Amino acid sequence: MEILRVTNVKKSFDGEPIIKGIRFAVQKNEVVALIGPSGSGKSTILRSLVHLETIDDGEIYIDGEYLVKNGIYNKPKEIRQIQRKLGMVFQHFNLFPHLTVKENLELAPKLAKLDSEEAISERCVQLLEKVGLQNRLDAYPSKLSGGQKQRVAIARALMMQPKLMLFDEPTSALDPELTGEVLTVMKDLAKEQMTMLVVTHEMAFAKEVADRVIFMDQGEIVEEGTPEELFENPKHERTKAFLKRY
Amino acid sequence: MSLEYILKISGPMLEGAKVTLLTFFIVIIISIPLGLFITLAGRSRFRPIVWFIKGYIYVMRGTPLLLQLLVLCFGLPMIPVIGQYLVLDRFLAAVIGFVLNYAAYFAEIFRGGLLAIDKGQYEAAQVLGMNRWQRMTRIILPQMFRVTLPSVTNETITLVKDTALLYAVAVPELLHYAQTAVNRDFTIVPFFIAGLMYLMITLVLTFFLKRIEMKVKFE
Ligand SMILES: Nc1ncnc2c1ncn2[C@@H]1O[C@H](COP(=O)(O)OP(=O)(O)OP(=O)(O)O)[C@@H](O)[C@H]1O
Ligand SMILES: [Mg+2]
């Protein structure tokens, strides 16, 4: 079953085409890694999916409903419903510094009345256990390490019970010794069959965890396939040149 | 210098201090929310509003507060034709002047505070499904208040001292009674007492505002 379908998506910044007609899909329970050089448009794609960028043309379907069809956006109310299905983890965590870990997790689901307060609170504790931070419930983000912050950010996104989790270079802002703890959490999620689209420079992670890898360059998808196909046997010169650097 | 004398003149000076404090509280209570409102209105997409607010802030910050008070208290009634409808109670006129002036300063402080908030905060809140109102009230404004609290504190202390400008528009406040006593009794003591009273007010205020600052450290 398809959770995400992106067709012919185009996007320019200041007249400069950045995304040049992209097409791909993500199936339920699939982990897809999106790789490519800096500036190739990976973040722009993720940001378009969560409506932080507006695309110029194309179609985005999320769990069978359209966010954009032929470049025309759905009604705001529908969009809000559709966006509920996506969780996003940012490179720089973007935790709310004035709220404790617990409040960071609980605020959005409470505002959305996703569940009863008790159920939300229970879920918060469960998720923090899952990411190994159950003892930091009342800490403010300023007291956490980068790796801990990112794990809280993942738990916060999971609070909304998304069908698809988007990660935009979740470990790029971390010291090397802290990336492991975040990647472990993501691997656990993959094992639990969470559907994920991960922009990453961690090739080892992509190889190990991804079901499929998409290589992008200059706003286009150059090549996609299983990790074996793409890493062991890349077909395009651009892919080869990119992978040589790792 | 007898204690008796100090007690005698302290009575009317405390009366004056009441006016000082009353002015201070009215102005703070109105100008902070008004300043916030001006900041938010200044972010409107409707350009004329933005220009109007820019002009207003420019005038308020670019001219002396004393001039603004004099205009409101004595200048307005002199405007031909409509002036006769603009004769306000002097205290009221002065308070309006303070409010307009301080709201402009607070608006600038809040505007700077908003600029200091990372774009990622809006984005994270949006992606978590919060609407504009929720993003503003739950995420952005609390952080803005935190960032701007030291400047707001400064401005608040300054206001205590600026209330002495009431003297210039003949609203009897603390300084007025001190000056009267000095002229009458030919002694510097009332000035010292006035100074002490201002210090007491700012001391209490500083203590109170520092406590708020400690409370919202988010650590
Ligand atoms: N808001 C914007 N305004 C103008 N240009 C932009 C904007 N956002 C992105 N771009 C440009 O679009 C291109 C793609 O950016 P994007 O951030 O999607 O790349 P990326 O693949 O995520 O790169 P990186 O690996 O460095 O994160 C870049 O050339 C960038 O300069
Ligand atoms: Mg990026």
Side-chain angles (χ1 to χ4, degrees):
Chain A
M1 197 179 106
E2 236 172 44
I3 293 287
L4 173 69
R5 182 151 50 84
V6 169
T7 319
N8 192 32
V9 164
K10 292 180 184 155
K11 165 86 185 162
S12 303
F13 281 116
D14 316 316
E16 176 84 19
I18 295 297
I19 305 295
K20 303 166 185 166
I22 271 192
R23 169 192 305 273
F24 70 95
V26 176
Q27 305 296 321
K28 194 166 189 293
N29 305 338
E30 205 181 17
V31 177
V32 176
L34 186 55
I35 63 172
S38 184
S40 54
K42 307 180 298 294
S43 296
T44 306
I45 296 271
L46 288 203
R47 294 169 56 79
S48 302
L49 298 179
V50 291
H51 203 29
L52 291 175
E53 304 288 356
T54 313
I55 63 169
D56 304 330
D57 197 10
E59 300 185 355
I60 298 176
Y61 276 81
I62 293 162
D63 198 25
E65 292 173 274
Y66 77 97
L67 172 68
V68 210
K69 196 159 64 178
N70 293 321
I72 298 171
Y73 274 84
N74 208 331
K75 291 192 277 296
K77 196 164 156 257
E78 301 292 326
I79 290 180
R80 232 170 293 135
Q81 282 305 320
I82 295 165
Q83 293 298 311
R84 283 267 178 89
K85 299 178 178 182
L86 304 181
M88 173 102 163
V89 175
F90 298 87
Q91 184 176 355
H92 295 286
F93 334 124
N94 298 349
L95 292 182
F96 304 131
H98 62 300
L99 302 179
T100 63
V101 167
K102 184 179 160 67
E103 291 164 343
N104 261 279
L105 265 67
E106 291 184 349
L107 179 60
K110 276 183 181 167
L111 289 175
K113 298 202 168 58
L114 214 59
D115 230 325
S116 72
E117 301 239 334
E118 299 80 56
I120 288 171
S121 178
E122 208 170 292
R123 203 173 146 65
C124 166
V125 174
Q126 280 170 6
L127 282 171
L128 285 176
E129 263 168 34
K130 191 207 279 273
V131 301
L133 289 170
Q134 62 277 21
N135 55 346
R136 304 311 304 272
L137 220 60
D138 295 316
Y140 282 99
S142 63
K143 293 287 179 220
L144 302 178
S145 72
Q148 291 175 328
K149 281 183 195 162
Q150 195 58 301
R151 286 187 279 152
V152 171
I154 293 173
R156 182 177 69 177
L158 290 171
M159 283 298 286
M160 301 302 284
Q161 301 180 292
K163 293 203 165 176
L164 168 62
M165 282 285 281
L166 309 172
F167 295 82
D168 192 357
E169 302 196 29
T171 57
S172 296
L174 300 176
D175 294 335
E177 71 271 19
L178 298 178
T179 58
E181 59 193 67
V182 172
L183 293 176
T184 304
V185 167
M186 292 170 65
K187 283 176 201 166
D188 289 346
L189 278 180
K191 272 188 213 126
E192 290 167 22
Q193 306 282 305
M194 174 57 80
T195 313
M196 307 201 272
L197 176 57
V198 186
V199 171
T200 186
H201 288 297
E202 301 275 348
M203 294 305 150
F205 173 81
K207 251 180 228 175
E208 185 188 336
V209 181
D211 300 300
R212 212 144 42 80
V213 181
I214 299 175
F215 171 65
M216 256 185 91
D217 189 20
Q218 293 174 23
E220 294 165 331
I221 291 179
V222 177
E223 186 167 353
E224 66 171 286
T226 64
E228 295 77 46
E229 288 168 351
L230 204 113
F231 289 119
E232 311 305 335
N233 207 356
K235 292 192 183 56
H236 287 74
E237 283 311 314
R238 280 201 267 177
T239 321
K240 286 177 195 164
F242 174 74
L243 289 174
K244 230 182 243 154
R245 284 192 266 145
Y246 288 90
Chain B
M1 199 44 57
S2 69
L3 185 65
E4 212 175 309
Y5 175 73
I6 292 176
L7 286 177
K8 193 186 116 218
I9 61 164
S10 288
M13 284 179 67
L14 280 174
E15 283 303 305
K18 267 193 211 159
V19 176
T20 295
L21 281 172
L22 182 67
T23 311
F24 169 78
F25 281 116
I26 297 176
V27 172
I28 275 298
I29 286 169
I30 302 177
S31 64
I32 288 183
L34 182 61
L36 180 60
F37 176 78
I38 292 167
T39 303
L40 297 179
R43 290 155 61 91
S44 157
R45 282 201 207 109
F46 186 56
R47 298 311 293 174
I49 290 189
V50 178
W51 292 327
F52 175 78
I53 286 172
K54 280 208 162 108
Y56 155 72
I57 289 176
Y58 180 69
V59 170
M60 288 296 139
R61 300 210 314 163
T63 61
L65 174 53
L66 182 54
L67 174 61
Q68 295 161 22
L69 293 176
L70 290 172
V71 166
L72 280 167
C73 292
F74 306 120
L76 289 186
M78 297 174 188
I79 299 175
V81 189
I82 58 166
Q84 53 182 313
Y85 304 107
L86 296 174
V87 188
L88 298 173
D89 172 68
R90 268 210 310 282
F91 177 72
L92 178 64
V95 164
I96 291 174
F98 277 114
V99 165
L100 290 178
N101 181 277
Y102 270 78
Y105 277 94
F106 283 126
E108 275 300 278
I109 290 173
F110 292 148
R111 194 175 66 87
L114 285 183
L115 291 178
I117 293 171
D118 183 54
K119 179 165 124 298
Q121 293 291 309
Y122 294 87
E123 296 187 349
Q126 184 184 331
V127 169
L128 285 166
M130 293 182 214
N131 60 35
R132 278 172 69 99
W133 172 254
Q134 292 167 337
R135 291 201 294 266
M136 214 54 194
T137 55
R138 301 306 191 104
I139 304 300
I140 305 305
L141 293 185
Q143 292 184 54
M144 183 212 72
F145 282 122
R146 171 69 194 93
V147 176
T148 56
L149 200 51
S151 315
V152 170
T153 299
N154 272 338
E155 209 58 31
T156 306
I157 304 284
T158 305
L159 172 61
V160 173
K161 296 175 287 178
D162 271 356
T163 56
L165 290 171
L166 287 173
Y167 178 83
V169 290
V171 175
E173 42 66 79
L174 178 50
L175 198 60
H176 164 86
Y177 289 104
Q179 173 75 38
T180 311
V182 167
N183 287 344
R184 186 188 58 217
D185 307 332
F186 209 66
T187 159
I188 196 174
V189 173
F191 280 157
F192 275 110
I193 298 174
L196 279 177
M197 286 183 177
Y198 281 116
L199 280 176
M200 294 272 286
I201 297 173
T202 49
L203 189 72
V204 171
L205 207 56
T206 308
F207 174 78
F208 177 69
L209 291 166
K210 281 283 168 242
R211 291 229 358 204
I212 298 184
E213 250 175 77
M214 297 299 283
K215 259 218 174 103
V216 294
K217 255 198 166 146
F218 310 133
E219 278 176 0

